[in-house]
């Protein structure tokens, strides 16, 4: 069985993430969407909230599960016997950072390959940060996040302001 891990902050999950998760689910037998910790970020949603939001919008995908972990991705891959890390690539600006992570993960756990899926062009400039920024001003984020979690995200982010 080919197991892939799709790691990220997902703070919160966007339509860009959903596109990558959907496509990964057609390429692998099982996809674990992993809410992970990027130590350079401050999160608006707790790990539990991010997992809940992801579960709500991936429930229809039979081979996708959502988990969270606060350790090294390489250790998690080993524990789960995963052979791939799936990441989405947007503009060239993502590249340097993703390149560094892919090489580091390969060093720490050579058994897994990092697979990059190129984003759909309409998601090229979409990010969780942009969603949070717009929502915190009460702006419309319906084109950026999955419909079933739109209200939850809006309520939480406006309240934070
Ligand atoms: O969505 P993000 O913030 O770009 O995702 C980055 C993330 C969470 C995938 C990355 O920071 C990560 O893998 N964190 C887990 C800890 C780890 O393994 N760090 C070393 C990465 S080379």
């Amino acid at each position: 069985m080919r197991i892939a891990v799709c790691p990220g902050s997902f703070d919160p999950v966007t339509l860009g993430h959903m596109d990558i998760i959907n496509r990964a689910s057609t390429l692998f037998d099982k996809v674990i969407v992993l809410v992970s910790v990027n130590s350079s970020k401050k999160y608006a949603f707790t790990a539990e909230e991010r997992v809940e939001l992801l579960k709500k919008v991936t429930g229809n995908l039979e081979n996708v599960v959502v988990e969270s972990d606060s350790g090294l991705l390489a250790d998690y891959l080993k524990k789960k016997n995963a052979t791939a890390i799936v990441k989405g690539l947007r503009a060239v600006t993502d590249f340097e950072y993703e390149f560094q992570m892919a090489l580091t993960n390969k060093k720490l756990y050579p058994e897994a390959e990092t697979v990059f899926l190129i984003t759909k062009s309409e998601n090229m400039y979409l990010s969780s940060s942009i969603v949070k920024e717009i929502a915190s001003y009460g702006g419309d984020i319906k084109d950026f996040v999955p419909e079933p979690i739109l209200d939850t995200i809006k309520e939480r982010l406006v309240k934070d302001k």
Side-chain angles (χ1 to χ4, degrees):
M1 170 135 99
R2 296 252 163 221
I3 303 172
V5 173
C6 201
S9 292
F10 304 105
D11 189 47
V13 56
T14 67
L15 290 180
H17 294 129
M18 289 309 294
D19 171 47
I20 301 299
I21 295 167
N22 267 296
R23 286 156 65 194
S25 77
T26 68
L27 295 171
F28 295 92
D29 300 315
K30 179 177 174 183
V31 174
I32 305 172
V33 179
L34 186 68
V35 171
S36 202
V37 179
N38 178 341
S39 51
S40 61
K41 285 187 179 169
K42 232 186 124 254
Y43 293 116
F45 294 85
T46 66
E48 290 73 25
E49 285 175 317
R50 287 178 276 146
V51 166
E52 275 319 300
L53 292 172
L54 274 161
K55 280 189 174 166
K56 229 178 213 171
V57 293
T58 56
N60 61 321
L61 298 169
E62 270 178 17
N63 60 340
V64 173
V65 296
V66 183
E67 295 190 357
S68 69
D69 187 66
S70 54
L72 268 185
L73 179 59
D75 292 339
Y76 184 85
L77 296 166
K78 188 172 182 185
K79 195 166 69 188
K80 297 288 172 172
N81 252 321
T83 51
I85 304 163
V86 177
K87 303 231 58 189
L89 264 193
R90 290 165 301 187
V92 205
T93 43
D94 282 346
F95 194 77
E96 190 96 20
Y97 169 60
E98 293 295 345
F99 202 100
Q100 184 185 27
M101 282 199 290
L103 289 178
T104 308
N105 284 321
K106 186 73 183 162
K107 190 96 188 155
L108 295 175
Y109 187 61
E111 289 83 349
E113 297 294 339
T114 298
V115 177
F116 290 110
L117 299 181
I118 303 296
T119 183
K120 278 205 283 195
S121 55
E122 62 254 47
N123 295 329
M124 181 101 171
Y125 296 104
L126 176 53
S127 69
S128 297
S129 316
I130 287 284
V131 167
K132 282 181 281 194
E133 172 83 3
I134 298 170
S136 70
Y137 288 101
D140 190 1
I141 53 167
K142 76 168 181 347
D143 289 340
F144 309 132
V145 301
E147 201 275 330
I149 57 172
L150 178 63
D151 288 341
T152 314
I153 293 177
K154 275 205 283 204
E155 279 162 26
R156 268 288 270 102
L157 292 174
V158 169
K159 206 169 54 191
D160 273 1
K161 194 145 173 84

